[in-house]
């Protein structure tokens, strides 16, 4: 009787079979999008146990998310029950198990707990009480980043050529952070940052606990410095498998290198063309340089794509081939036929949203479920136009990786200020904004102001003045600051036009987020968490461009938002369009995909060049390869950006695609039709 493993082996193509049955030398499986890499790695685990008699306890498999590790384990066990004894972990869960086993040698308490980001900020606030909470949070982020680069406090203080761990790694870390700008001048050199980092680490050790960065850094340090622990660990794990290797950072690479002994069989699976997380510390050089780091490596390319139709893959290859930093492969479709991708030129972002809504609606009327569609964009803030359009057309949708636009904290904050401007008696708005950002006004003081205003029928701002006279110095200063800001904004609103004569409401909203400190607050959080709250606030201002800078204009703007929100039932439908950033699409697939915003400065971002531009190109490639059946790419002639309507240039990526590979719709910009490269187009118009 044929086993499940035998049936699975029979389904493998020649390249997959070669990867599964490979033994001996290190193996790099270069797995293209949709090439069945998860099937390969789980089948390999089962084959090693069931066919080669490998002790499952000697197999270590690591990946990056708990979901991926759970799926890997369940699929391997389905093929070979003994696979339940394999060590299948995320990098961090492996690090935690390792540290508990060698707690004494690593200098941590065996019963340690793992401190999260908030805990790290609290520790920093204790060792450096002169720092504000926001400054402490930014330093905590930089310490975490240093640990991702496997750098100790003394490493970041040394001049590049003296850094004991290699100046290239140290310089890559420093390239991500400039101390004065990033830390508000609280620490103005690498040496002072090093002292703060050392103080933080000392307090962490006193508690016996670790943070997330330590879960990788401390095992690396112990394995590299303790020969006995290294030998014992290398003898325990004879086979090491790594999934999504292109997403590994410097510390994870060094952990892998320390775990690999002369008798270890090492196999990594990844795709250099899908390395899109450099902002999180991922280093594409780990996979590009794998053969150099592990001599004798065999590389097997998985190029057969089972997901997308041929025309989609042709566009994907056309774009990614422009990158120079890649190992090289060409996806070969297993699915024949299919429509050419559509490149759609539209007047502006409102037309872009309307086009997507109509595309989805017409397909639904022909029997295509909403869930077959995904709308992709570069930044979360771009979801607003699609959310608004879909609500009005009553098209169900869900936003992946973020709250719906008007439910985001930063948007609620800004809308509360605007609501207070038109109605100074709005208690809910007042309570939300009076101490945000923190102005030293306590909750008891806020409640007292609200109660007195209600009892005496006076305004909240008047009661702020009364409370300031009776409060301590810090509270009084905070209340006066808040009152001053609101009085200034009241005057700006009733002025009708800006000081430059500009009548647009969008400028008032931008001024509001700046004067209140909300923009700085959320931009600082962006830097710490990698979110885009500042961009969302800018998009809120952009959305107000059609409204006049008057009380009536502001009321109409707020009414429109409330009416749009009222159309939302709050229910997540199973059959819904997916709105998602390109970064969040990794690992997903959809029947029909629309990639939006293909304009220079939007995608790719204006500040991208060199290696960063290559990563943007890989991000485009990832988005394209999410599409199974149909692909649409949109580009707008105008877009509301930074509070202004701007003329846009088609993305340089569009010039790079062979134009025979797509069908152009809409009014093709003459300059795009005339030129084969963005450089030529810019030269003609003498653009900067």
């Amino acid at each position: 009787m044929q086993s499940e493993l035998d049936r699975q082996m029979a389904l493998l193509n020649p390249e997959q079979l070669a990867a599964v049955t490979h033994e001996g030398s290190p193996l790099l499986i270069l797995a293209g999008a949709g090439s069945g890499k998860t099937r390969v790695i789980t089948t390999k685990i089962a084959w090693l146990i069931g066919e080669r008699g490998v002790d499952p306890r000697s197999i270590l498999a690591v990946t990056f998310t708990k979901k991926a590790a759970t799926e890997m384990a369940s699929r391997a066990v389905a093929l070979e029950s003994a696979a339940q004894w394999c060590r299948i972990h995320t990098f961090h869960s492996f690090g935690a198990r390792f540290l508990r086993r060698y707690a004494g040698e690593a200098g941590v308490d065996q019963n340690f707990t793992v401190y999260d980001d908030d805990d790290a900020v609290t520790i920093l606030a204790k060792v450096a009480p002169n720092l504000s909470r926001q400054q402490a949070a930014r330093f905590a982020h930089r310490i975490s980043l240093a640990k991702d680069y496997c750098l100790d406090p003394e490493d970041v203080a040394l001049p590049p050529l003296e850094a004991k761990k290699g100046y290239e790694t140290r310089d890559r870390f420093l390239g991500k952070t400039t101390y004065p700008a990033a830390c508000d001048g609280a620490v103005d050199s690498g040496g002072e940052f090093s002292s703060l980092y050392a103080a933080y680490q000392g307090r962490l050790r006193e508690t016996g606990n670790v943070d997330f960065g330590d879960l990788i850094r401390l095992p690396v340090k112990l394995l590299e410095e303790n020969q006995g622990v290294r030998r014992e660990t290398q003898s325990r794990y004879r086979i090491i498998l790594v999934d999504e290797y292109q997403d590994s950072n410097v510390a994870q690479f060094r952990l892998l290198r320390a775990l690999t002994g002369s008798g270890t069989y090492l196999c990594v699976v990844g795709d250099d063309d899908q390395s899109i997380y450099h902002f999180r510390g991922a280093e594409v050089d780990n996979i590009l340089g794998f053969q150099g780091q592990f001599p004798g490596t065999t590389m097997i390319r998985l190029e057969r794509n089972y997901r997308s139709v041929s025309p989609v893959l042709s566009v994907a290859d056309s774009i990614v081939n422009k990158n120079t930093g890649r190992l090289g492969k060409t996806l070969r479709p297993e699915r024949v036929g299919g429509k050419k991708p559509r490149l759609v030129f539209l007047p502006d972002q409102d037309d872009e949203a309307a086009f997507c809504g109509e595309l989805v609606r017409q397909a639904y009327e022909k029997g295509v479920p909403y869930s077959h569609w995904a709308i992709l964009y570069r930044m979360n803030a771009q979801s607003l136009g699609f959310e608004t359009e879909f609500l009005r057309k009553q098209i169900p949708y869900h936003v992946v990786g973020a709250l719906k636009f008007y439910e985001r904290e930063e948007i609620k904050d800004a809308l509360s200020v605007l609501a207070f401007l038109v109605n100074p008696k709005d208690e809910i708005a007042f309570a939300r904004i009076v101490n945000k950002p923190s102005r030293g006004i306590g909750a008891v003081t806020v409640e007292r102001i609200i109660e007195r205003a209600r009892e005496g029928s006076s305004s909240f701002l008047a009661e702020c003045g009364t409370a300031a006279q009776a409060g301590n110095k810090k509270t009084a200063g905070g209340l006066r600051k808040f009152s001053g800001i609101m009085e200034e904004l009241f005057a700006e609103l009733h002025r009708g036009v800006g000081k430059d004569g500009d009548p647009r409401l969008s400028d008032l909203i931008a001024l509001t987020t700046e004067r209140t400190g909300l923009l700085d607050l959320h931009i600082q959080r962006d830097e710490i968490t990698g979110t885009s709250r500042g961009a969302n606030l800018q998009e809120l201002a952009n959305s107000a461009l059609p409204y006049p800078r008057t009380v009536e204009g502001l009321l109409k703007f707020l009414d429109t938002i409330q009416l749009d929100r009222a159309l939302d039932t709050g229910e997540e439908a199973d059959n819904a369009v997916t709105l998602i950033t390109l970064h969040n699409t990794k690992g997903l697939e959809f029947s029909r995909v629309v990639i939006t915003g293909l304009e220079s400065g939007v995608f790719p971002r204006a500040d991208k060049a060199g290696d960063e531009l290559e990563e943007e190109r890989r991000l485009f490639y990832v988005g394209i390869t999410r599409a199974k059946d149909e692909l649409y790419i949109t580009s707008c002639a105008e877009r509301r950006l930074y509070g202004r309507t701007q003329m846009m240039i088609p993305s340089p990526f569009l010039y790079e695609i062979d134009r025979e590979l797509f069908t152009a719709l809409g009014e093709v910009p003459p300059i795009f039709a005339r030129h084969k490269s963005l450089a030529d187009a810019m030269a003609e118009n003498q653009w900067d």
Side-chain angles (χ1 to χ4, degrees):
M1 181 177 178
Q2 191 180 38
S3 69
E4 187 60 35
L5 175 58
D6 290 335
R7 283 192 289 271
Q8 187 63 47
M9 295 285 288
L11 294 174
L12 300 175
N13 65 43
E15 296 81 19
Q16 291 173 331
L17 183 62
V20 167
T21 58
H22 177 273
E23 296 180 277
S25 63
L27 175 63
L28 169 59
I29 303 174
L30 200 62
S35 63
K37 71 173 182 63
T38 304
R39 169 186 292 182
V40 169
I41 198 168
T42 54
T43 304
K44 189 173 185 70
I45 292 172
W47 180 82
L48 286 166
I49 298 168
E51 295 296 324
R52 306 302 292 166
V54 173
D55 182 350
R57 288 177 288 266
S58 71
I59 298 176
L60 171 64
V62 289
T63 187
F64 288 86
T65 67
K66 184 177 180 180
K67 179 181 178 181
T70 300
E71 181 181 0
M72 188 188 300
S74 64
R75 291 177 65 166
V77 170
L79 298 176
E80 172 55 65
S81 60
Q84 63 185 299
W85 304 111
C86 293
R87 309 304 185 196
I88 301 178
H89 301 288
T90 65
F91 271 101
H92 287 95
S93 66
F94 169 79
R97 289 174 65 92
F98 179 89
L99 286 179
R100 294 199 191 282
R101 184 182 184 96
Y102 296 107
E105 292 86 346
V108 298
D109 190 303
Q110 189 173 29
N111 297 318
F112 67 79
T113 57
V114 181
Y115 282 163
D116 62 16
D117 293 342
D118 286 339
D119 297 325
V121 173
T122 299
I123 292 175
L124 270 175
K126 289 180 179 178
V127 301
N130 59 310
L131 296 178
S132 69
R133 183 80 180 178
Q134 291 175 5
Q135 289 172 331
R138 299 174 82 175
F139 275 118
H141 171 65
R142 273 149 190 77
I143 290 172
S144 175
L145 187 62
K147 291 183 177 185
D148 285 346
Y149 279 85
C150 232
L151 295 169
D152 293 334
E154 61 269 23
D155 295 321
V156 296
L158 292 171
L161 292 176
E162 297 177 26
K164 67 180 183 181
K165 301 283 172 60
Y167 68 87
E168 297 92 347
T169 295
R170 189 258 195 191
D171 281 356
R172 285 204 299 273
F173 164 69
L174 293 184
K176 284 177 167 284
T177 177
T178 303
Y179 296 110
C183 302
D184 300 332
V187 171
D188 58 8
S189 74
E192 291 180 76
F193 171 72
S194 173
S195 298
L196 184 61
Y197 180 7
Y200 166 85
Q201 203 63 18
R203 182 64 67 92
L204 194 60
R205 291 288 77 81
E206 288 175 14
T207 68
N209 293 330
V210 300
D211 59 19
F212 276 99
D214 284 338
L215 293 178
I216 307 298
R217 189 185 69 91
L218 290 180
V220 169
K221 191 177 182 69
L222 183 57
L223 286 164
E224 290 181 345
E225 297 177 358
N226 189 311
Q227 188 175 12
V229 171
R230 185 169 65 254
R231 285 177 178 171
E232 183 178 331
T233 305
Q234 289 177 352
S235 66
R236 178 179 301 114
Y237 302 118
R238 309 302 296 171
I239 293 174
I240 299 178
L241 306 163
V242 185
D243 194 16
E244 302 287 5
Y245 185 63
Q246 77 281 345
D247 294 336
S248 61
N249 60 31
V250 169
Q252 289 158 344
F253 160 72
R254 283 179 54 181
L255 176 63
L256 179 63
R257 188 173 62 184
L259 288 170
T260 304
S262 59
T264 307
Y265 175 68
L266 174 63
C267 170
V268 302
V269 184
D271 183 2
D272 53 333
D273 290 332
Q274 296 189 71
S275 180
I276 59 173
Y277 296 128
H278 186 64
F279 67 96
R280 296 179 186 169
E283 289 288 346
V284 69
D285 287 345
N286 288 353
I287 192 168
L288 295 179
F290 184 84
Q291 292 165 291
Q293 291 289 343
F294 298 94
T297 292
T298 297
M299 181 164 66
I300 296 176
R301 290 177 170 86
L302 303 184
E303 298 176 303
R304 302 191 193 203
N305 178 282
Y306 295 90
R307 176 187 299 154
S308 306
V309 293
S310 178
V312 170
L313 295 185
S314 295
V315 171
D317 278 329
S318 179
I319 189 69
V320 82
N321 282 337
K322 304 302 186 297
N323 274 355
T324 58
R326 62 191 298 260
L327 296 171
K329 63 181 175 305
T330 301
L331 295 179
R332 303 196 305 273
E334 292 294 304
R335 299 180 59 205
V336 297
K339 296 180 180 178
K340 276 188 181 182
R342 268 68 163 176
L343 174 57
V344 187
F345 292 99
L346 297 155
D348 58 36
Q349 64 204 77
D350 294 331
D351 293 292
E352 181 181 57
F355 169 79
C356 290
E358 193 61 19
L359 198 64
V360 171
R361 187 190 65 78
Q362 290 183 12
Y364 181 73
E365 290 178 352
K366 296 177 181 177
V368 177
Y370 292 124
S371 59
H372 282 204
W373 288 95
I375 312 297
L376 280 52
Y377 36 81
R378 179 63 180 81
M379 298 176 291
N380 270 314
Q382 290 171 257
S383 75
L384 175 58
F386 303 110
E387 292 188 55
T388 301
E389 182 70 18
F390 288 2
L391 284 171
R392 291 173 182 170
K393 280 190 165 65
Q394 296 186 315
I395 296 173
Y397 71 92
H398 64 98
V399 183
V400 174
L403 292 170
K404 293 183 177 180
F405 190 84
Y406 294 120
E407 297 304 315
R408 296 168 189 170
E409 177 188 0
E410 64 277 12
I411 300 303
K412 286 186 172 183
D413 291 342
L415 291 177
S416 291
V417 179
L418 298 174
F420 190 72
L421 287 179
V422 294
N423 179 14
K425 296 180 180 180
D426 189 329
E427 176 183 328
I428 302 301
F430 172 77
R432 184 179 184 98
I433 64 176
V434 65
N435 194 43
K436 191 170 189 180
S438 177
R439 301 182 179 93
I441 307 169
V444 173
T445 299
V446 174
E447 286 300 319
R448 188 181 298 124
I449 289 171
I450 292 173
E451 197 61 35
R452 287 179 176 174
R454 292 176 60 192
E455 290 175 354
S457 297
S458 60
S459 72
F460 290 125
L461 289 183
E463 289 301 330
C464 282
T466 302
Q469 295 177 358
N472 59 43
K473 185 176 180 180
K474 185 176 182 180
T475 300
L479 289 169
R480 292 191 182 102
K481 183 176 182 180
F482 172 74
S483 296
I485 291 169
M486 296 312 300
E487 287 169 2
E488 177 188 357
L489 293 175
F490 280 131
E492 288 290 341
L493 173 60
H494 289 277
R495 192 193 311 274
V497 295
K499 294 177 182 178
D500 59 355
D502 197 327
R504 290 179 291 209
L505 181 63
S506 59
D507 289 327
L508 177 66
I509 295 176
L511 179 69
T512 296
T513 60
E514 178 187 341
R515 290 285 195 274
T516 57
L518 289 174
L519 184 61
D520 281 345
L521 171 68
H522 290 297
I523 285 176
Q524 288 169 3
R525 291 182 177 179
D526 288 344
E527 190 172 348
I528 294 164
T529 62
T531 53
S532 53
R533 296 182 178 203
N536 292 339
L537 287 172
Q538 182 62 64
E539 189 62 24
L540 179 69
N542 291 339
S543 69
L545 270 173
Y547 298 87
R549 183 176 173 145
T550 61
V551 173
E552 293 74 17
L554 178 53
L555 283 170
K556 186 174 181 181
F557 175 68
L558 293 173
D559 284 347
T560 300
I561 290 173
Q562 292 303 328
L563 289 172
D564 286 345
R565 295 172 73 181
L567 293 172
D568 188 356
T569 63
E571 299 177 358
E572 289 288 349
D574 291 334
N575 184 22
V577 178
T578 297
L579 303 182
I580 187 170
T581 65
L582 284 147
H583 279 103
N584 280 328
T585 61
K586 187 119 173 308
L588 303 178
E589 59 182 40
F590 306 92
S591 177
R592 303 178 181 206
V593 167
V594 187
I595 305 178
T596 63
L598 263 294
E599 301 109 34
S600 183
V602 176
F603 188 30
R605 303 276 292 275
D607 57 346
K608 303 300 182 183
D611 290 344
E612 290 187 336
L613 183 60
E614 292 219 345
E615 180 157 322
E616 290 282 294
R617 196 176 282 112
R618 293 195 294 268
L619 186 59
F620 189 26
Y621 170 83
V622 167
I624 293 169
T625 54
R626 300 311 95 191
K628 296 197 299 185
D629 302 313
E630 293 185 17
L631 173 67
Y632 299 82
I633 299 169
T634 64
S635 181
C636 296
E638 294 181 355
R639 188 172 291 273
R640 294 188 293 273
L641 292 170
Y642 312 113
R644 298 286 186 275
T645 298
Q646 298 187 15
M647 300 298 294
M648 305 304 293
I649 306 168
S651 169
F653 296 155
L654 298 183
Y655 289 90
E656 295 175 350
I657 303 172
D658 182 348
R659 301 191 185 182
E660 297 301 316
L661 298 178
F662 54 71
T663 299
L665 302 176
E667 188 173 341
V668 180
I671 199 162
F672 182 77
R674 284 197 304 271
H675 293 289
K676 294 297 184 182
S677 75
L678 180 60
D680 291 341
M682 294 178 71
E684 176 185 314
N685 285 268
Q686 297 184 337
W687 285 321
D688 293 330

